[in-house]
Amino acid sequence: MAIYLTKESKVLVQGMTGAEGMKHTRRMLAAGTDVVGGVNPRKAGRTVEFDERAVPVFGSVREGVERTGADVTVVFVPPAFAKAAVVEAADAGIGLAVVITEGIPVHDSVAFTAYARTRGTRIIGPNCPGVITPGQSNAGIIPPDITKSGRIGLVSKSGTLTYQLMYELRDIGFSTCVGIGGDPVVGTSHTDCLAAFQDDPDTELVVLIGEIGGDAEERAAAYIRDHVTKPVVGYIAGFTAPEGRTMGHAGAIVSGSSGTAQAKRDALEAAGVRVGSTPAETARHVAAALGREARYGAVV
Amino acid sequence: MDLYEHQARELFEKHGIVVPRAEVTDSPERARGIARALGGRAVVKAQVKTGGRGKAGGVRLAADPAAAEHAARRILGMGIKGHTVGTVMLAEPVDVDREFYVSYVLDRAAGRFLAVASAEGGTEIEQVAAERPGAVARIPVDPDEGVTTSTAARIADAAGLPPQAVDVLVRLWEVLVREDALLVEVNPLVRTAQGGIVALDGKVTLDDNALYRQSRWGGERVESADPLEARAAAKGLNYVRLDGAVGVIGNGAGLVMSTLDVVAGCGARPANFLDIGGGASARVMADGLSVVLSDPAVKSVLVNVFGGITACDAVADGIVRALEEVTLTKPLVVRLDGNSAARGRALLDARAHPLVEQATTMDGAARRAARLATAASTAG
């Protein structure tokens, strides 16, 4: 079953005909993703030949949805056009929009995430590596060949840390990995993913990767304490990161948390989450929780 | 991008918020002239992008132009929390009757902006918020509607602000939206003895992602005082200098932060943060390595790359290029995994530089780099 993305997902790519869009559409197809079309009003009616199939280019998301039954879109358009692209996808009734684009103005992200909520469209990202259900489908830029299908769910702000953990735990495998993105405003939170993994029969354990800044991890910890019965293993990056300069008082007033790595680790541990000190130790915690110590070595 | 107080003041004024008359200078002599133009008395305020100026002695009230010059001389060049004061703002003093607090700040969890306001403004506002949360109103702003007069009235009412604050709240929202700010804060917003409302001090953080559509700030560059950081910035590298001996280069902010932590866990201290980003080219890797190697505090360098989009053979190629451009005198530990890792490792094996070694795991690489740095520090 997995979460958010399965082999049944029909995927559109907004910005497919650009350089990044082409490169990653090729990779997504190779990973088994059912890419049913690209969207580009200036190239509508053409088809683009890939090894697996010829992919049609539609003039709008709505046309793509009507012609193919697409329910997922992956957005690669440049930052200045991202808001319009997401609004268009939401208006076309797309259920899941994965926004890869980096550098979108925050006011635009605030506007399109709010708009998508009113239309029932889930946003993953922006500025994220996407979501992968290994062996089934890959919507975004996560390398598909570094792990296999299995029973671990993973949620992370960071792309490369996601890859690192996917690789460390490649022998156990993953149900779904979600890179939620590192921007201040994202459409899907750690907590949203935890809720989905808790309800997913294919997920046995959840890996939660966080980093300094904001209070998403503290909120996730509170959610775990109250709602998650599956084991959760955490990792937080940024204990030695240069201290950010804080301007004004508003941030501290709002979150009530210092946002430090230690504060996040403490909050997770208080909720019963085992937190690794390194990615490798985190992987060993996961293996231990799943009774797979033999292959990964005991946790020190 | 954080703005200086005088830049925030300028934005407030542009959007019709009343601010004290003021001018900025980097010269004590000019400060005397400005004070004279302001009527003799002036508040002399250090322009630094950090809080706690007042407590550090960076704000002084001058009774006459000579005192203003003297105060400016004292404040210019002063260090406040690691920031050197390069300019001072001289502002006309205001007779304060009451101090309030108003801001719009991004509520990351809710994905929208929040109005935060209190009738008890001033430097102790964080303490007020912690001790008596009821004294600080927090009202979410609907992104579609923004702050209309009726929303502003609701905020003012909830916080116990006077009716004149409503107009300020509407205009401050305009600053936030029109200028693509992530934070606008007026603290204190004051009622003067004469009954007027004045924004006495303010903070504005602009969204770097939106600078492309904000022509006023497009050319503004945040110059780093550190020569290595400045050199890295000129090459478009995401580099932050730290105070340890192990140079760290990796791809992706999360993995690089994690690498710093693992190095620290091995008992060494990282010398820098350097993220070569996704899909980095050989050129970026070579530039990054040359910046890190030119830091005299660096005793060993750790390259930790997990290739997702980034191809490890391009990273290895960048290392090989850098070896041609600079003479390597410090040991380099390289860990490559993921996309094209086998080709990358083979490239480094073929180059066979005596000071370059490869590790198969992130932890192993960090341990080795830490040990090499410690050994070099002890020896040297």
Side-chain angles (χ1 to χ4, degrees):
Chain A
M1 225 185 82
I3 69 167
Y4 303 149
L5 187 74
T6 69
K7 61 178 185 303
E8 316 299 335
S9 303
K10 292 184 188 304
V11 178
L12 287 176
V13 180
Q14 288 173 269
M16 182 180 82
T17 49
E20 288 297 297
M22 287 294 288
K23 179 166 92 185
H24 292 292
T25 301
R26 188 170 290 118
R27 288 189 185 199
M28 284 190 271
L29 282 164
T33 311
D34 189 10
V35 179
V36 295
V39 178
N40 181 342
R42 282 169 295 121
K43 296 186 178 171
R46 298 190 202 172
T47 52
V48 180
E49 296 289 336
F50 293 96
D51 289 345
E52 288 77 11
R53 66 170 74 160
V55 177
V57 180
F58 300 109
S60 67
V61 178
R62 184 173 299 281
E63 187 196 350
V65 169
E66 282 167 1
R67 299 266 294 275
T68 66
D71 54 358
V72 175
T73 180
V74 184
V75 179
F76 284 103
V77 304
F81 308 103
K83 179 176 154 188
V86 175
V87 166
E88 185 191 339
D91 281 339
I94 287 278
L96 174 67
V98 180
V99 186
I100 307 301
T101 309
E102 182 181 353
I104 298 174
V106 171
H107 281 272
D108 289 4
S109 299
V110 167
F112 72 62
T113 51
Y115 187 77
R117 256 194 302 275
T118 68
R119 298 280 160 153
T121 300
R122 170 171 298 285
I123 307 274
I124 292 178
N127 186 19
C128 80
V131 48
I132 182 169
T133 296
Q136 297 192 41
S137 189
N138 187 17
I141 63 175
I142 296 176
D145 49 1
I146 53 172
T147 200
K148 66 168 191 182
S149 172
R151 301 183 61 79
I152 307 169
L154 183 148
V155 52
S156 168
K157 280 183 189 172
S158 152
T160 41
L161 275 176
T162 299
Y163 311 159
Q164 177 72 32
L165 263 301
M166 285 169 67
Y167 184 71
E168 300 252 11
L169 291 163
R170 60 193 177 280
D171 291 340
I172 299 179
F174 291 82
S175 52
T176 301
C177 303
V178 188
I180 59 174
D183 273 10
V185 172
V186 291
T188 295
S189 66
H190 283 103
T191 304
D192 295 330
C193 293
L194 284 164
F197 282 129
Q198 171 68 23
D199 290 342
D200 173 32
D202 290 345
T203 300
E204 197 175 326
L205 173 150
V206 183
V207 174
L208 182 150
I209 304 173
E211 56 191 58
I212 46 168
D215 66 345
E217 295 81 359
E218 287 86 335
R219 286 168 181 272
Y223 186 83
I224 291 166
R225 189 187 58 219
D226 298 337
H227 301 286
V228 179
T229 56
K230 293 179 181 177
V232 180
V233 174
Y235 176 69
I236 302 290
F239 283 85
T240 41
E243 200 181 324
R245 299 156 302 137
T246 36
M247 286 274 293
H249 305 278
I253 293 173
V254 171
S255 76
S257 165
S258 57
T260 61
Q262 192 60 47
K264 292 171 189 302
R265 180 178 186 143
D266 291 347
L268 287 169
E269 286 182 338
V273 175
R274 269 157 299 184
V275 180
S277 296
T278 69
E281 189 188 277
T282 309
R284 288 196 295 272
H285 282 310
V286 172
L290 294 173
R292 300 282 292 267
E293 297 91 333
R295 295 187 80 144
Y296 286 83
V299 179
V300 199
Chain B
M1 180 172 76
D2 295 333
L3 297 186
Y4 287 107
E5 178 194 9
H6 69 88
Q7 295 171 320
R9 178 194 163 281
E10 185 191 312
L11 286 187
F12 294 163
E13 190 173 39
K14 173 180 159 192
H15 290 274
I17 296 170
V18 179
V19 291
R21 286 195 298 144
E23 211 173 312
V24 181
T25 183
D26 58 2
S27 127
E29 293 76 21
R30 284 270 304 131
R32 177 191 282 258
I34 294 169
R36 196 175 301 121
L38 290 173
R41 290 172 73 231
V43 186
V44 185
K45 305 171 88 175
Q47 296 298 290
V48 278
K49 296 176 179 181
T50 183
R53 280 184 312 183
K55 284 166 191 158
V59 179
R60 286 164 190 264
L61 178 64
D64 54 54
E69 177 178 341
H70 179 70
R73 207 176 292 284
R74 294 279 299 273
I75 294 171
L76 286 165
M78 173 187 267
I80 300 177
K81 291 189 184 167
H83 300 252
T84 306
V85 181
T87 54
V88 289
M89 182 173 90
L90 288 94
E92 106 190 278
V94 171
D95 288 335
V96 177
D97 171 35
R98 268 196 82 178
E99 297 192 330
F100 310 104
Y101 174 93
V102 295
S103 69
Y104 295 111
V105 59
L106 186 63
D107 179 350
R108 295 164 63 132
R112 57 175 61 186
F113 285 90
L114 199 60
V116 182
S118 174
E120 302 178 39
T123 51
E124 304 305 321
I125 183 68
E126 279 184 48
Q127 205 179 330
V128 172
E131 288 168 7
R132 286 177 298 112
V136 180
R138 301 163 175 83
I139 302 200
V141 179
D142 183 308
D144 230 23
E145 275 179 22
V147 175
T148 59
T149 306
S150 71
T151 330
R154 211 153 46 82
I155 298 165
D157 188 49
L161 304 181
Q164 304 104 297
V166 172
D167 181 57
V168 174
L169 284 163
V170 172
R171 291 174 188 276
L172 194 62
W173 179 259
E174 239 179 73
V175 174
L176 182 88
V177 174
R178 299 266 179 82
E179 308 292 336
D180 265 309
L182 298 179
L183 165 75
V184 292
E185 180 182 77
V186 182
N187 187 34
L189 175 72
V190 303
R191 184 167 63 200
T192 65
Q194 296 74 33
I197 289 275
V198 178
L200 210 55
D201 193 353
K203 308 263 190 299
V204 171
T205 302
L206 299 180
D207 180 2
D208 293 340
N209 285 352
L211 292 182
Y212 74 88
R213 63 186 183 193
Q214 295 291 349
S215 54
R216 163 73 175 80
W217 309 102
E220 190 105 346
R221 288 287 285 271
V222 183
E223 291 288 329
S224 174
D226 183 285
L228 274 179
E229 287 189 358
R231 192 176 134 197
K235 288 181 183 288
L237 296 168
N238 185 3
Y239 170 92
V240 181
R241 196 171 186 183
L242 304 170
D243 58 1
V246 180
V248 174
I249 303 175
N251 63 325
L255 185 63
V256 181
M257 276 198 281
S258 169
T259 309
L260 301 184
D261 292 348
V262 175
V263 166
C266 295
R269 285 153 69 92
N272 66 276
F273 169 102
L274 173 52
D275 172 14
I276 58 172
S281 65
R283 186 68 259 157
V284 169
M285 181 63 216
D287 286 347
L289 191 53
S290 103
V291 168
V292 171
L293 285 171
S294 55
D295 179 351
V298 166
K299 303 296 178 202
S300 72
V301 179
L302 167 58
V303 177
N304 182 27
V305 169
F306 194 97
I309 308 312
T310 307
C312 290
D313 53 353
V315 172
D317 188 32
I319 294 171
V320 171
R321 273 198 214 181
L323 293 177
E324 284 160 14
E325 291 163 12
V326 295
T327 310
L328 187 64
T329 54
K330 299 157 184 177
L332 192 61
V333 182
V334 184
R335 177 265 180 162
L336 301 173
D337 255 322
N339 183 4
S340 309
R343 276 205 298 278
R345 292 187 202 123
L347 271 172
L348 290 181
D349 282 341
R351 179 62 181 78
H353 192 288
L355 283 172
V356 179
E357 57 183 276
Q358 299 197 57
T360 52
T361 66
M362 175 169 161
D363 289 14
R367 263 196 308 275
R368 182 69 184 144
R371 193 168 303 145
L372 288 166
T374 312
S377 303
T378 322

